Amino acid sequence: QVQLVESGGGLVQSGGSLRLSCAASGIIYSIDAMGWYRQAPGNRRELVASISETYRTNYADFVKGRFTISRDNKKNTIYLQMNSLKQEDTAVYYCNGHYIRTNMGILKDKWGQGTQVTVSS
């Protein structure tokens, strides 16, 4: 069974940095795209950044220049380096895997359980 497990969340002061990781486990042949989403209380889940299997990246405007997404295909892991954090970055951050090819077939979308990021003033 494929699982996505996030780690690295926590409490940080405004202006600080955090690095999130998301590791996909299971018998996985490939993953087309992976990404980070976030959801603050009362808000919709929104895309933060995504990265394709060929390392093409896409960022939401509100994180451009502050966050960097990266990927290790051998480890089926993605990372999100978050710098210059702001209070409005406070949210639960979710990892997503899109089109995961496994020994049991293709998973179109798989989500992790989420990790809390809290930015204090």
Side-chain angles (χ1 to χ4, degrees):
Q1 185 176 359
V2 172
Q3 287 187 320
L4 271 60
V5 179
E6 301 100 335
S7 60
L11 174 64
V12 64
Q13 285 191 326
S14 181
S17 298
L18 281 175
R19 188 186 192 222
L20 305 183
S21 300
C22 170
S25 63
I27 301 176
I28 296 170
Y29 302 138
S30 66
I31 306 175
D32 276 7
M34 298 185 76
W36 291 98
Y37 291 70
R38 71 186 188 186
Q39 187 169 18
N43 291 356
R44 290 183 175 181
R45 190 172 296 189
E46 59 186 357
L47 174 68
V48 175
S50 65
I51 185 166
S52 72
E53 193 174 11
T54 56
Y55 306 104
R56 185 175 62 219
T57 59
N58 178 50
Y59 294 94
D61 286 343
F62 53 78
V63 302
K64 283 181 180 177
R66 300 189 298 124
F67 292 8
T68 302
I69 190 170
S70 59
R71 177 171 180 163
D72 185 335
N73 283 340
K74 290 183 179 179
K75 295 181 180 180
N76 289 321
T77 298
I78 61 169
Y79 307 93
L80 186 68
Q81 178 66 43
M82 304 186 293
N83 298 329
S84 302
L85 282 161
K86 306 174 182 179
Q87 282 188 274
E88 50 263 44
D89 293 319
T90 295
V92 178
Y93 284 70
Y94 296 91
C95 173
N96 172 266
H98 183 65
Y99 257 77
I100 304 173
R101 292 174 181 81
T102 78
N103 64 318
M104 299 295 289
I106 295 175
L107 295 174
K108 289 190 177 180
D109 273 299
K110 185 72 176 179
W111 293 91
Q113 81 288 351
T115 185
Q116 177 71 46
V117 171
T118 303
V119 184
S120 64
S121 59

